[in-house]
Amino acid sequence: MAKLSGETTRLIVKVAIAAPLYRLFDYLAPADIDIQSLAPGVRVEVPFGKSKKIAYVIETSAHSQIDPDKLKQIDRILDDKPLLSAKDIRLLHWASRYYHYPLGEVFSAAFPAILRKGNPVNLGVARQSYRLTETGLTTNNETLKRSPKQQQVLAYFQSRFPNSISEPELTLWDKNWRTAVKALLAKALLKQMGPDDQPNSYAIATSTLANAEIIREGSQKLQLNTQQQAATEAVISSLDKFKVFLLAGITGSGKTEVYLQIITKVLERGQQVLVLVPEINLTPQLEERFRQRFSVSMTLSHSNLTDNQRCNAWLNMQQGISAIMLGTRSALFTPMKKPGLIILDEEHDASFKQQEGFRFSARDVAIMRGSLLNIPVILGSATPSLESLHNANQQRYQQLILSERAGNAVEPTVHLLDIRNKKLHAGLSDALISEIRKTLANNEQVLLFLNRRGFAPTLICHGCGWVARCQYCDANMVIHQHEKLLRCHHCGKEQRSVSNCPACKVGELLPLGLGTERIEDALRELFPDKILVRLDRDTTRLKGSLESYFAQINQGKADIILGTQMLAKGHHFPSVTLVILIDADSGLFSIDYHATERLAQLIVQVSGRAGREEKPGKVIMQTRHPEHNMLNTLIREGYRNFAQIALAERKEAHLPPFSYHALLRAQADSPNLPQAFLANVAAMAGTYTSNTHILGPVAAPMEKRAGLYRYQLLFQSNKRSDLQKMLCELVANIESVPYVKKIRWSLDVDPVDLF
Ligand code: ADP
Ligand code: ZN
Ligand code: ZN
């Protein structure tokens, strides 16, 4: 047979390279390679330019557009078989198309750093772990009483069954485990986990287990109330199919208990659970509650772990050794050997949207993943996002409502405190101070919230009006009095505080506005004998400091808790009875349409810290807009009604979720290039579509940041498919737009803020 051009007897491999490149690249497979070794998803190392790069096999083919003589050969095949399932690979393809982000980068995001760099799958986890053999499981450890150490070790493994136990875990338990473990290995009561043990994992072990071994001994399921019971049953009856549930439960309504009981059922089926939370550090109690309830192996994944720890966590889920993963946004792509359920707690939280690079929404991708894996997804929140409520209104999600606090706790009462024309001491009104005094006199805790750290946001000259500005950003320098610094919160630039006005040399320099430091000083002066804890990014820089503050508060060794939005995130402070929002007005007048929703969520979440146990709680919000519609709807009618009104406003204004947005941002170190670039893009995009509005280019709300000038182009369409079609063409051609090499651009599909 004649050889056609472009055809070769050698297999062609199309790979996605982990780099910002939108196309696939062709390589020759090594000679005589079995096609199975190059299954989609397998990592390979390829020569690229003068260097080597890690790439992912997308497909193999007999053909290439390129002359095979010009193709290079793959250097190394890194995996025996793909580490991701075919369905998860489909998910990555979908995400790459939907967010218009290079496939190789999307693949990279799914892998932990160690594997991304091309390291071999090190079954270090498994090799350094031990588990009971069947004999070990059934042997009465009393028979070893002549070797007490061995008896102890065997008893420990039996108490932890079906978990395998890793060497570091053993060391934590007791430093001197080696000799005993060696002896038990020799007696075949324990075995070492090796590469061949992969399937011998949690999933298989539990299929023969009763309930009792999933639940930790001594831990008590709570008796669910009617609403919790209904929610739990609704999910349990759909465990074998894809369905999205919106668990809309007010703060303290017992959402976590609902998760725990549903998870128990999933574990009984021998399946794994992925639980995503906004920030693990801020919710140490959640981890604690999971650990108390379940005796199965659980693993964490978040950015405070070392690369090794993260890789191990990933592999433990991938191999079915761990049953539960509790992680942040980036844990979303963790492969599961036996996927059973995905939960997103605090689903409204903006941190589920990645704000740089691969700008995906963990919530939206989780739902797509649930659909591909055919498993249920639970979105939980006291303040669901307008998008999710809209989907529930449209019957796309099933809504499960918990409208009452669990146990004996009742919802706090909320009061607006009008501070117009009132005398203020560092932002605190007399009425407020006397409320604080009353609460403290009852030995109850007070929590004050202000979403601004530092001493004051502005330093102004009383003589001439000069204001300390950042030289790199369109922003004021924030006064950090305790450190005697001025600091820009946008680029991090610091300078020593000035004592003379640089402009007029004589005017008095005054701090303007409020920050947590300033409130702290005022409160310490007002209540010198009370213990105050301030929680913000400045006081919690050191590793472990946040945890120790939380512990201090929960042991009752704090009277006044003051902080920023760190306080808003799902934390359970049992003795707080008075919650104060010092400035409820910030955010009422933002130009970003998301701001009202965010503010309402913040108010409800902060308020939710009050009166979570026996003692009833009270919330006071200081405002200069006591008649403000949004605030009043929220207080009088609750978040749900507020949200329905906000949705009606969005519909009226044709804003998401009633239309679809994408934001193209461009920046450079001069203002002209990004503007010219975006104007060209706008003109080009206009020729692709008549169904998409193109708004801009306009300056970003903060035009200059960290020395870069920032502009944006907003695309808005009534149909997602119209917008997507236009974006496809746009991204395919954007590299030929004038000035593209001189600026940096990024595309944000479904942006959660317009900054
Ligand atoms: P949420 O996650 O909705 O804010 P939590 O799950 O933290 O609420 O529950 C708040 C408190 O109520 C916790 O102390 C929890 O132990 C308790 N709780 C939850 N469900 C019940 C129940 N059915 N009976 C008694 N107490 C409950
Ligand atoms: Zn001056
Ligand atoms: Zn700056």
Side-chain angles (χ1 to χ4, degrees):
M1 202 170 34
K3 197 176 153 195
L4 298 170
S5 88
E7 201 168 321
T8 166
T9 48
R10 293 279 290 279
L11 196 59
I12 308 288
V13 191
K14 296 185 185 301
V15 303
I17 290 179
L21 301 161
Y22 276 87
R23 45 175 286 241
L24 300 181
F25 292 84
D26 289 2
Y27 285 88
L28 294 173
D32 303 324
I33 194 83
D34 176 4
I35 190 164
Q36 297 297 333
S37 326
L38 286 163
V42 162
R43 294 174 305 145
V44 293
E45 188 178 79
V46 296
F48 190 80
K50 289 205 173 81
S51 65
K52 306 220 180 276
K53 286 213 182 296
I54 304 303
Y56 305 89
V57 175
I58 300 304
E59 58 180 356
T60 47
S61 162
H63 307 277
S64 173
Q65 305 281 14
I66 298 166
D67 181 354
D69 296 336
K70 297 213 170 108
L71 290 180
K72 291 183 181 165
Q73 184 179 309
I74 283 174
D75 280 334
R76 286 196 303 144
I77 300 177
L78 302 171
D79 300 316
D80 301 339
K81 51 182 195 282
L83 297 171
L84 304 180
S85 70
K87 286 173 178 174
D88 283 335
I89 290 174
R90 274 176 64 195
L91 180 72
L92 300 184
H93 279 271
W94 172 83
S96 167
R97 280 197 307 275
Y98 185 80
Y99 293 104
H100 302 273
Y101 205 64
L103 188 58
E105 298 269 37
V106 172
F107 264 82
S108 286
F111 285 86
I114 287 188
L115 298 178
R116 202 183 299 151
K117 289 180 194 147
N119 289 302
V121 171
N122 182 355
L123 285 168
V125 209
R127 257 189 224 120
Q128 294 163 13
S129 299
Y130 306 89
R131 71 153 69 229
L132 288 172
T133 59
E134 277 194 35
T135 330
L137 179 63
T138 48
T139 299
N140 182 346
N141 60 56
E142 285 288 318
T143 60
L144 290 174
K145 68 169 175 270
R146 291 206 316 198
S147 350
K149 196 79 206 181
Q150 288 178 36
Q151 182 183 359
Q152 266 178 23
V153 172
L154 185 65
Y156 180 56
F157 272 87
Q158 287 172 339
S159 75
R160 293 282 306 269
F161 185 80
N163 288 356
S164 58
I165 303 179
S166 67
E167 296 194 343
E169 274 182 282
L170 279 167
T171 306
L172 267 181
W173 170 71
D174 185 338
K175 278 202 287 291
N176 304 313
W177 55 267
R178 276 181 200 276
T179 323
V181 165
K182 221 169 145 189
L184 294 173
L185 285 169
K187 291 177 185 166
L189 298 178
L190 289 186
K191 65 177 179 178
Q192 198 163 5
M193 301 283 292
D196 302 334
D197 282 319
Q198 290 173 37
N200 182 10
S201 59
Y202 146 81
I204 287 174
T206 50
S207 62
T208 57
L209 283 180
N211 221 339
E213 276 95 351
I214 289 174
I215 305 282
R216 188 169 296 288
E217 221 179 283
S219 105
Q220 275 291 327
K221 278 210 264 191
L222 295 174
Q223 182 70 41
L224 298 180
N225 64 32
T226 319
Q227 288 181 326
Q228 285 176 313
Q229 185 70 35
T232 307
E233 278 168 11
V235 181
I236 287 174
S237 69
S238 305
L239 284 183
D240 49 7
K241 58 171 187 269
F242 168 62
K243 188 162 180 184
V244 184
F245 296 92
L246 178 61
L247 180 60
I250 63 165
T251 53
S253 59
K255 292 184 289 297
T256 311
E257 185 63 28
V258 170
Y259 299 149
L260 292 173
Q261 299 209 12
I262 294 167
I263 291 171
T264 307
K265 285 283 184 250
V266 178
L267 299 178
E268 281 169 18
R269 294 156 58 101
Q271 292 175 320
Q272 295 165 292
V273 182
L274 178 62
V275 183
L276 300 180
V277 295
E279 274 164 275
I280 285 187
N281 311 349
L282 298 182
T283 49
Q285 287 160 328
L286 190 68
E287 181 196 344
E288 185 58 29
R289 282 168 77 178
F290 273 70
R291 293 221 184 270
Q292 274 170 11
R293 180 66 54 90
F294 299 119
S295 57
V296 295
S297 160
M298 180 172 128
T299 173
L300 298 188
S301 177
H302 54 84
S303 54
N304 280 357
L305 299 180
T306 63
D307 283 354
N308 255 322
Q309 287 170 320
R310 277 184 97 152
C311 186
N312 283 352
W314 194 91
L315 288 171
N316 272 316
M317 286 301 275
Q318 196 253 356
Q319 296 173 8
I321 295 166
S322 284
I324 303 173
M325 173 173 275
L326 196 56
T328 47
R329 180 181 69 224
S330 61
L332 167 65
F333 295 101
T334 311
M336 290 185 268
K337 193 176 171 78
K338 296 231 170 169
L341 172 69
I342 302 174
I343 297 176
L344 249 99
D345 193 29
E346 310 289 357
E347 68 90 28
H348 64 277
D349 199 292
S351 69
F352 281 124
K353 177 82 198 264
Q354 182 141 308
Q355 304 277 27
E356 65 207 6
F358 176 23
R359 292 172 164 78
F360 69 99
S361 152
R363 179 190 64 210
D364 297 347
V365 181
I367 288 166
M368 181 51 81
R369 191 170 185 209
S371 139
L372 286 166
L373 298 176
N374 203 29
I375 58 173
V377 178
I378 306 177
L379 308 178
S381 176
T383 53
S385 61
L386 295 184
E387 287 85 357
S388 294
L389 284 170
H390 177 61
N391 280 319
N393 288 344
Q394 304 283 308
Q395 317 288 326
R396 281 194 285 268
Y397 301 169
Q398 182 178 343
Q399 191 163 199
L400 308 168
I401 296 179
L402 308 179
S403 57
E404 279 158 25
R405 282 206 162 171
N408 297 323
V410 292
E411 268 193 277
T413 54
V414 184
H415 310 266
L416 283 180
L417 181 58
D418 183 357
I419 53 167
R420 283 175 299 180
N421 298 314
K422 297 277 157 49
K423 205 174 115 210
L424 298 175
H425 315 261
L428 309 173
S429 61
D430 286 334
L432 193 68
I433 292 168
S434 81
E435 288 283 348
I436 297 175
R437 200 178 300 284
K438 253 185 2 208
T439 309
L440 293 175
N442 287 337
N443 284 322
E444 293 166 9
Q445 287 175 330
V446 179
L447 183 149
L448 295 103
F449 172 83
L450 180 72
N451 214 7
R452 209 178 301 117
R453 65 199 165 86
F455 185 81
T458 307
L459 180 67
I460 191 167
C461 173
H462 198 42
C464 73
W466 171 89
V467 166
R469 299 276 289 168
C470 174
Q471 75 188 96
Y472 305 107
C473 305
D474 290 328
N476 292 346
M477 297 295 274
V478 177
I479 309 169
H480 287 255
Q481 189 119 307
H482 297 184
E483 297 167 276
K484 300 197 167 44
L485 283 177
L486 296 176
R487 183 181 285 140
C488 173
H489 285 188
H490 301 282
C491 69
K493 155 98 181 144
E494 287 177 355
Q495 67 183 71
R496 295 177 56 138
S497 211
V498 284
S499 44
N500 290 320
C501 173
C504 69
K505 318 285 184 211
V506 292
E508 187 190 0
L509 292 177
L510 298 175
L512 196 67
L514 298 172
T516 47
E517 256 185 36
R518 194 171 198 178
I519 310 276
E520 175 183 355
D521 289 357
L523 288 167
R524 283 194 194 283
E525 217 175 288
L526 284 163
F527 307 103
D529 54 339
K530 295 294 176 186
I531 305 173
L532 181 147
V533 174
R534 189 180 110 219
L535 286 177
D536 56 32
R537 255 204 289 149
D538 295 321
T539 61
T540 56
R541 285 238 164 79
L542 290 179
K543 213 177 160 172
S545 57
L546 188 65
E547 290 77 4
S548 68
Y549 282 134
F550 279 150
Q552 182 187 348
I553 294 166
N554 286 329
Q555 289 157 17
K557 293 182 196 148
D559 305 303
I560 303 173
I561 306 152
L562 163 70
T564 56
Q565 60 181 353
M566 279 186 177
L567 295 174
K569 308 230 173 179
H571 211 81
H572 188 64
F573 298 117
S575 316
V576 168
T577 58
L578 178 61
V579 165
I580 293 162
L581 287 93
I582 294 169
D583 179 10
D585 300 338
S586 59
L588 282 181
F589 306 100
S590 169
I591 47 172
D592 188 337
Y593 70 88
H594 295 98
T596 336
E597 176 186 0
R598 294 269 164 70
L599 178 63
Q601 288 165 343
L602 193 65
I603 289 174
V604 174
Q605 295 285 350
V606 176
S607 304
R609 304 309 113 210
R612 289 175 64 92
E613 297 214 329
E614 304 296 317
K615 299 175 197 155
K618 182 170 181 177
V619 179
I620 302 177
M621 297 163 53
Q622 293 197 132
T623 176
R624 291 186 179 86
H625 300 274
E627 310 298 334
H628 195 279
N629 256 338
M630 190 277 274
L631 290 179
N632 281 284
T633 308
L634 191 62
I635 290 168
R636 297 216 187 97
E637 301 169 42
Y639 181 80
R640 303 186 62 74
N641 287 314
F642 154 79
Q644 295 307 339
I645 292 171
L647 270 174
E649 285 174 3
R650 294 261 187 106
K651 186 170 186 183
E652 188 77 14
H654 299 289
L655 287 170
F658 301 93
S659 67
Y660 303 93
H661 277 175
L663 195 63
L664 184 71
R665 298 182 175 93
Q667 60 180 33
D669 52 15
S670 85
N672 298 336
L673 291 173
Q675 293 189 74
F677 166 76
L678 288 177
N680 282 316
V681 171
M684 184 172 86
T687 67
Y688 298 146
T689 175
S690 50
N691 303 328
T692 300
H693 293 289
I694 303 167
L695 306 156
V698 295
M702 184 178 289
E703 185 168 358
K704 184 178 161 203
R705 182 173 174 163
L708 294 172
Y709 293 83
R710 309 149 73 232
Y711 300 85
Q712 54 196 33
L713 204 55
L714 182 68
F715 302 106
Q716 171 167 343
S717 185
N718 290 331
K719 266 174 74 188
R720 207 194 283 280
S721 54
D722 287 340
L723 179 65
Q724 284 290 345
K725 238 172 75 196
M726 190 277 297
L727 293 176
C728 274
E729 281 197 66
L730 184 67
V731 171
N733 294 300
I734 201 163
E735 289 301 329
S736 62
V737 172
Y739 312 119
V740 68
K741 297 273 182 280
K742 301 210 156 90
I743 53 101
R744 292 197 58 172
W745 64 271
S746 66
L747 183 62
D748 192 350
V749 178
D750 306 326
V752 296
D753 67 45
L754 302 181
F755 288 79

